Amino acid sequence: MLLQTKEFKNFKLRAKDGDIGKAIEFFFDDKHWTVRYLVADTGGWLFGRQVLISPYALGPVDESQRVFPVKLTKKQIEESPLLESNKPVSRQFENEFYDYYGWPAYWYGSYSWGVNPYMLSDQKLPDETIRHEKAWDPNLRSMNEVTGYHIQATDGTIGHVAGFIIDENTWTIRYMIVDTGNWWVEHQVLISPQWIDRISWDESKVFLAMSRDTIKQAPEYMEESLTRDYETDLHKHYDRQGYWTEEPPTKENKTVL
């Protein structure tokens, strides 16, 4: 299932023993473009600290109840490693956080979830040789911060990042929503992070190796249009292979919003 990040903010985060708030922020790494943490607004329950929820702790979304199940108790969350508000997520914190919950660290291995492209909370950690050779140092980015970044085509600015679309199965950011409203009124298109040429974090700009006209002629994005047929047309327009062709045959390949 693909979901806009703004939709997440309408879902309650429900622990095993009660609601804990709503997601107000997301941290992702800029290598695999995968969400690593949701930041929960707990309404003052744990004042003075950021409450981070890993996708490992989340169950399938309940659309009818507008709920994201969290497979943890409030006590587990309360006793988890402390991250003070407005502090960056350090490697030391991540090590303590993952050790506390007993989850395999995603930064060991070549895939987005370590030694596996999908989340397997019961997978074993790689041996010391693999851990030494394949460990990488993720840079975690804030979606709230990246929203608003300018999109730079080869021949000029084309718009800005207006939001993100996340794959709930893998927690990969499948698309950035690009608002071209300053050039074409009420017009939005999608760009996959895989199609980005480079990003200047200092300049708050996303650079694409394609022209403004190419982006303008892409299939227009509207929430109700996000189907697999739409994605297929989008990838054909940019002459790109669909990410779903790499999914294992046991996974559902239908996309719904």
Side-chain angles (χ1 to χ4, degrees), residues 150-152 155-160 178-187 212 216:
H150 292 291
I151 304 295
Q152 186 78 21
D155 51 354
T157 304
I158 188 66
H160 65 272
V178 178
D179 189 331
T180 64
N182 291 340
W183 288 265
W184 299 283
V185 178
E186 297 183 357
H187 188 89
R212 294 171 65 178
K216 178 183 177 181

Side-chain angles (χ1 to χ4, degrees), residues 220-238:
E220 182 178 2
Y221 168 69
M222 293 177 285
E223 291 185 25
E224 63 273 14
S225 70
L226 192 55
T227 63
R228 183 47 52 83
D229 287 341
Y230 168 85
E231 288 190 278
T232 300
D233 290 341
L234 182 71
H235 282 70
K236 283 182 178 178
H237 173 76
Y238 289 114

Side-chain angles (χ1 to χ4, degrees), residues 158-245:
I158 188 66
H160 65 272
V161 179
F164 299 86
I165 295 175
I166 298 173
D167 187 331
E168 186 204 349
N169 290 326
T170 62
W171 288 90
T172 301
I173 298 173
R174 292 299 182 195
Y175 304 105
M176 295 187 303
I177 303 171
V178 178
D179 189 331
T180 64
N182 291 340
W183 288 265
W184 299 283
V185 178
E186 297 183 357
H187 188 89
Q188 292 185 331
V189 295
L190 299 184
I191 294 291
S192 168
Q194 304 302 316
W195 308 339
I196 294 172
D197 185 42
R198 66 184 178 90
I199 295 180
S200 173
W201 304 104
D202 293 333
E203 298 178 90
S204 302
K205 283 186 177 181
V206 177
F207 292 85
L208 303 175
M210 58 185 73
S211 68
R212 294 171 65 178
D213 194 54
T214 298
I215 300 169
K216 178 183 177 181
Q217 293 180 22
E220 182 178 2
Y221 168 69
M222 293 177 285
E223 291 185 25
E224 63 273 14
S225 70
L226 192 55
T227 63
R228 183 47 52 83
D229 287 341
Y230 168 85
E231 288 190 278
T232 300
D233 290 341
L234 182 71
H235 282 70
K236 283 182 178 178
H237 173 76
Y238 289 114
D239 193 24
R240 304 282 182 159
Q241 183 176 357
Y243 63 85
W244 53 89
T245 61

Side-chain angles (χ1 to χ4, degrees), residues 1 16 35 38 40 45 93 96 102 116 121-122 136 147 154 157 197 207 212 222 231 240 248:
M1 177 184 295
K16 291 180 177 180
V35 173
L38 283 67
W45 167 45
F93 171 83
E96 293 175 356
N116 198 293
S121 59
D122 59 348
W136 54 282
T147 298
T154 53
T157 304
D197 185 42
F207 292 85
R212 294 171 65 178
M222 293 177 285
E231 288 190 278
R240 304 282 182 159

Side-chain angles (χ1 to χ4, degrees), residues 29-36 56 91 98 104-120 123-124 126 130-131 133-138 170-172 174 194 243 246-248:
D29 76 83
D30 59 12
K31 178 180 180 179
H32 294 287
W33 284 73
T34 299
V35 173
R36 300 305 177 187
Y56 274 121
R91 170 49 55 83
Y98 272 74
Y106 65 84
W107 53 87
Y108 292 120
S110 58
Y111 295 104
S112 58
W113 288 101
V115 295
N116 198 293
Y118 300 99
M119 284 187 297
L120 297 173
Q123 71 185 24
K124 295 181 179 180
I130 295 177
R131 291 175 66 171
E133 292 178 352
K134 296 190 176 182
W136 54 282
D137 191 12
T170 62
W171 288 90
T172 301
R174 292 299 182 195
Q194 304 302 316
Y243 63 85
E246 300 176 359
E247 293 179 348

